[in-house]
């Protein structure tokens, strides 16, 4: 049985990948959703003290990109270069994506290794020459099975459509080379049975198992009707099928065939984060390719759902591709990173709503979290001149807060770090924020402050220290989700000098009570989540859909 990314021997890197995104156009919310999820996951593991490798990149070959470039009167390479440098990389920087590498499939470090991989399979007898005729979706870059197609309506009446792009498929007939995928059906089913968590969520796993049980066809791994791709090394009249080329990025980016030490210390991925529309490529074709080459399989393939607007999947082809910058310019980058993982259960479809975003921002970020930070800083400033007081009169109420933080740490670590339940982890953290707000309401420090006796002042000091120490824990826990906001809060608590950099704080230590030093300078900095201004005009269209 093949080893998986969850069974790495002697390798320390926690390796997470996004899909490499097709650069036929600029990125939209769907692309950013997966990439932010991967960023939060890898930041979380970094704060566990683990070595991490986070990979993203772009898929730049294939017929769709060639046609898009031609429509824009430029070469495919020029089109890819422009989109990558002016749209994709700047967006990841804007969203604070801390990726360790950005792979482009037009890079020599990738194309050379792809040819070597495919040549090796050919030499092993895993690839043969044949012909194929069938319906092909250029948008998916995939031959479709007749049963996958839907009937067209309106302008497409009488035609068969791709169920994802809702556009007519093309009937192609060409000479191809084929990978013996059909031989790997039983091996894949055996692997799925032995590794029930390999494909997530369960609905995705069931879909793949049912698909493989019906029997696999051999996979066309070359195209001969266009030339924008990696040439087949033994027959340069063909280019390698774009999906075979693309999937191999997960190996080539970490040193396959070029840096054995790096490859052994990183590959295979612990987690492939993907969209559910590319599930079969990653859970059927990719593991079969690895089996054929004798390489270990990834630990998990996790398919997120679709982001919907107006009842349709967000995509450029459906004219629902809202730019992330349309939202970050209004709500801020950290709120953007938080919202989609908070509002949508990862793995399920979810609808974007301007009203929902606004309501959650105001209620949970501005009122619950931001207002708590402002109140605590203001009271420390008012009653203790900005010097964090010492807690000397702790009781049951304080112990309950300490236990609440420890519970939030344990729950969030399990949910985010292991289960990829980002929503559940974030909710656990904000449940604790609500608990601290409730604690302050019940303890009424503004009334306790009127008691000028030593006992009264000791009680006031304990309440405010407890609240500030709680915020320290929250800053650590939310740092992977909202790094800029957490840094602002961290600095306002006077934690920088006594504790070191926030990025060095381990999530498992967030609940270690008493970490803040009495006497630290607490300052009331800028409002963490400012009041939202009027809705920008760019969204008037979306609100009418």
């Amino acid at each position: 049985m093949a080893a998986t990314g969850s069974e790495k021997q002697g390798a320390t890197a926690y390796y997470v990948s996004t899909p490499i995104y097709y650069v036929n156009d600029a990125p939209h919310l769907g692309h950013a959703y997966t990439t932010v999820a991967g960023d939060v996951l890898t930041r979380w593991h970094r704060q566990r003290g683990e070595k991490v490798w986070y990979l993203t990149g772009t898929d730049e070959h294939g017929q769709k990109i060639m046609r898009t470039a031609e429509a824009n009167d430029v070469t495919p390479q020029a089109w890819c270069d422009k989109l990558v440098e002016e749209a994709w990389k700047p967006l990841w920087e804007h969203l604070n994506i801390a990726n360790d590498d950005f792979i482009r499939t037009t890079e020599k470090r990738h194309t050379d290794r792809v040819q070597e991989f495919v040549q090796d399979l050919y030499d092993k007898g895993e690839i043969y020459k044949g012909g194929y005729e069938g319906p092909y979706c250029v948008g998916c870059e995939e031959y479709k099975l007749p049963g996958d197609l839907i009937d067209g309506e309106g302008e497409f009446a009488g035609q068969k459509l791709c169920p994802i792009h809702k556009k007519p498929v093309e009937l192609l007939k060409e000479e191809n080379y084929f990978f013996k995928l059909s031989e790997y059906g039983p091996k894949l089913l055996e692997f799925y049975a032995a590794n029930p968590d390999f494909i997530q969520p369960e609905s995705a796993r069931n879909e793949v198992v049912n698909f493989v049980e019906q029997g696999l066809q051999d996979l066309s791994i070359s195209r001969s009707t266009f030339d924008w791709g990696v040439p087949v090394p033994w027959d340069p009249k063909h280019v390698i099928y774009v999906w075979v080329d693309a999937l191999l990025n997960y190996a080539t980016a970490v040193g396959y065939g070029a840096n054995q030490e790096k490859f052994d210390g990183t590959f295979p991925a612990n987690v492939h984060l993907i969209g559910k529309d590319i599930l079969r490529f990653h859970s059927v074709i990719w593991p079969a390719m690895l089996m054929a080459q004798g390489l270990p399989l990834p630990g998990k393939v996790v398919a997120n759902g679709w982001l919907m607007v107006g009842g349709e999947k967000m995509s450029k082809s459906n004219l629902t591709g809202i730019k992330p910058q349309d939202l970050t310019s209004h709500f801020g980058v950290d709120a953007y990173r938080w919202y989609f993982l908070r509002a949508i259960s990862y793995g399920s479809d979810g609808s974007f709503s301007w009203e929902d975003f606004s309501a959650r921002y105001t209620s949970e970020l501005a009122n619950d979290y931001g207002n708590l930070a402002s109140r605590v800083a203001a009271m420390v400033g008012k009653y203790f001149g900005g010097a964090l007081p010492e807690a000397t009169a702790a009781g049951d109420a304080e112990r309950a807060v300490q236990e609440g933080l420890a519970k939030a740490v344990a729950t969030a670590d399990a949910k985010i770090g292991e289960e990829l339940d980002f929503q559940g982890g974030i909710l656990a953290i904000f449940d604790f924020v609500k608990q601290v707000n409730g604690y302050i309401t019940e303890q009424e420090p503004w009334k306790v402050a009127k008691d000028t006796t030593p006992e009264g002042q000791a009680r006031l000091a304990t309440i405010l220290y407890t609240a500030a120490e709680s915020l320290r824990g929250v800053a650590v826990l939310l740092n992977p989700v909202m790094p800029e906001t957490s840094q602002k809060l961290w600095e306002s608590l006077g934690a920088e000098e006594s504790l070191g950099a926030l990025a060095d704080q381990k999530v498992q230590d967030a609940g270690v009570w008493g970490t803040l030093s009495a006497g630290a300078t607490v300052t009331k900095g800028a409002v963490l989540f400012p009041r939202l201004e009027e809705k920008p005009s760019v969204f008037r269209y979306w609100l009418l859909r």
Side-chain angles (χ1 to χ4, degrees):
M1 181 55 59
T4 70
S6 59
E7 301 169 340
K8 292 180 180 179
Q9 300 296 319
T12 57
Y14 183 79
Y15 177 17
V16 176
S17 74
T18 70
I20 50 171
Y21 301 109
Y22 221 46
V23 291
N24 59 308
D25 213 325
H28 57 63
L29 295 187
H31 304 117
Y33 176 53
T34 307
T35 309
V36 168
D39 187 63
V40 171
L41 178 62
T42 47
R43 283 177 182 266
W44 192 274
H45 279 265
R46 285 191 188 98
Q47 283 194 218
R48 280 181 165 184
E50 299 173 21
K51 180 181 178 181
V52 167
W53 193 260
Y54 183 33
L55 174 68
T56 189
T58 45
D59 184 2
E60 303 182 12
H61 289 129
Q63 192 170 15
K64 180 164 60 174
I65 286 179
M66 185 185 72
R67 290 183 179 180
T68 302
E70 290 172 349
N72 286 273
D73 199 27
V74 295
T75 66
Q77 187 66 65
W79 177 257
C80 294
D81 291 346
K82 177 180 175 64
L83 263 291
V84 168
E85 297 302 326
E86 297 181 8
W88 290 87
K89 285 185 176 180
L91 178 61
W92 298 161
E93 182 177 354
H94 174 65
L95 294 178
N96 277 329
I97 304 301
N99 53 294
D100 296 282
D101 194 4
F102 188 102
I103 184 76
R104 298 181 58 183
T105 58
T106 52
E107 293 178 289
K108 184 175 176 59
R109 63 164 171 159
H110 174 76
T111 57
D112 285 355
R113 304 290 88 75
V114 168
Q115 288 186 310
E116 291 172 8
F117 187 100
V118 174
Q119 180 71 59
D120 195 35
L121 289 185
Y122 182 72
D123 293 342
K124 291 177 178 178
E126 295 284 348
I127 293 173
Y128 65 92
K129 194 172 188 178
Y132 194 84
E133 181 176 7
Y136 191 84
C137 173
V138 175
C140 293
E141 293 284 10
E142 178 187 18
Y143 280 105
K144 296 292 184 180
L145 297 174
D148 291 337
L149 305 178
I150 61 176
D151 293 325
E153 298 178 353
E155 64 174 312
F156 299 134
Q159 301 183 67
K160 292 292 185 179
L161 311 184
C162 167
I164 296 173
H165 292 91
K166 308 295 192 302
K167 291 185 177 180
V169 293
E170 300 179 12
L171 186 64
L172 296 184
K173 181 179 181 180
E174 60 181 340
E175 180 184 76
N176 302 102
Y177 286 93
F178 288 82
F179 168 56
K180 295 177 180 178
L181 181 64
S182 60
E183 296 183 0
Y184 288 88
K187 297 177 184 178
L188 288 168
L189 292 172
E190 181 185 358
F191 179 79
Y192 301 152
N195 299 274
D197 294 333
F198 174 65
I199 304 169
Q200 297 181 13
E202 186 176 0
S203 58
R205 180 182 187 278
N206 292 339
E207 175 191 329
V208 170
V209 170
N210 291 336
F211 174 74
V212 177
E213 286 178 339
Q214 294 172 21
L216 297 176
Q217 297 182 1
D218 287 346
L219 175 71
S220 170
I221 62 101
S222 74
R223 297 290 307 277
S224 57
T225 55
F226 63 92
D227 61 0
W228 180 239
V230 180
V232 171
W234 64 89
D235 189 347
K237 296 189 299 296
H238 292 247
V239 294
I240 296 170
Y241 175 43
V242 65
W243 269 105
V244 172
D245 166 10
L247 289 165
L248 281 168
N249 92 92
Y250 305 127
T252 62
V254 294
Y256 173 78
N259 186 335
Q260 193 64 40
E261 181 179 359
K262 180 179 179 181
F263 185 74
D264 291 342
T266 312
F267 193 85
N270 294 78
V271 180
H272 286 314
L273 298 177
I274 63 168
K276 66 179 182 180
D277 51 337
I278 56 176
L279 175 63
R280 293 179 185 176
F281 296 105
H282 287 79
S283 58
V284 179
I285 297 174
W286 178 227
M289 288 167 56
L290 294 174
M291 287 177 176
Q293 198 66 289
L295 293 173
L297 274 59
K300 296 178 182 178
V301 174
V302 184
N304 61 255
W306 286 342
L307 293 182
M308 315 290 284
V309 63
E312 296 183 25
K313 174 193 173 188
M314 286 185 178
S315 70
K316 289 295 181 182
S317 60
N318 287 336
L319 303 179
T320 56
I322 301 172
K323 294 188 299 183
Q325 294 92 330
D326 294 335
L327 297 180
T328 59
S329 63
H330 185 73
F331 294 99
V333 170
D334 271 7
Y336 175 95
R337 290 170 58 96
W338 165 86
Y339 171 73
F340 288 98
L341 298 181
R342 159 64 183 90
I344 299 170
S345 177
Y346 201 77
S348 302
D349 291 347
S351 294
F352 164 73
S353 164
W354 179 275
E355 288 77 10
D356 184 61
F357 197 161
S358 297
R360 292 184 190 276
Y361 177 100
T362 300
S363 174
E364 298 179 37
L365 294 185
N367 293 347
D368 288 348
Y369 183 26
N371 191 45
L372 172 64
S374 295
R375 292 168 70 198
V376 172
M379 286 189 286
V380 172
K382 180 177 181 180
Y383 300 127
F384 294 96
L388 184 67
E390 185 178 1
T392 59
D396 290 343
E398 286 68 44
R399 280 188 285 275
V401 173
Q402 293 179 35
E403 292 170 359
L405 177 56
K407 179 182 177 181
V409 171
T411 302
D413 193 30
K415 294 289 186 182
I416 297 175
E418 299 299 330
E419 302 170 24
L420 277 67
D421 179 4
F422 302 103
Q423 184 184 63
I426 292 171
L427 285 174
I429 299 167
F430 274 80
D431 282 344
F432 176 67
V433 170
K434 289 182 171 61
Q435 181 183 353
V436 179
N437 275 310
Y439 165 79
I440 291 177
T441 299
E442 292 171 1
Q443 300 305 313
E444 299 180 311
W446 48 90
K447 289 186 179 180
V448 176
K450 297 177 181 179
D451 182 353
T452 58
T453 66
E455 293 79 11
Q457 291 303 293
R459 183 68 199 141
L460 176 63
T462 299
I463 294 169
L464 294 182
Y465 181 89
T466 299
E469 177 69 352
S470 298
L471 284 169
R472 176 203 60 82
V474 171
V476 175
L477 292 175
L478 286 178
N479 187 46
V481 182
M482 296 189 285
E484 290 184 353
T485 301
S486 289
Q487 185 62 40
K488 290 177 184 177
L489 175 58
W490 189 256
E491 293 172 358
S492 77
L493 293 171
E496 180 67 26
E497 182 177 349
S498 59
L499 296 178
L502 177 56
D504 294 333
Q505 305 305 305
K506 292 182 172 60
V507 292
Q508 55 266 41
D509 292 337
V512 177
W513 196 261
T515 305
L516 281 179
S517 300
T521 300
V522 176
T523 56
K524 186 179 180 181
V527 176
L528 296 183
F529 301 100
R531 182 178 65 86
L532 296 174
E533 300 298 328
E534 183 179 353
K535 192 183 292 98
S537 59
V538 69
F539 275 91
R540 291 173 186 165
Y541 168 73
W542 306 111
L543 294 172
L544 293 174
R545 287 180 62 83

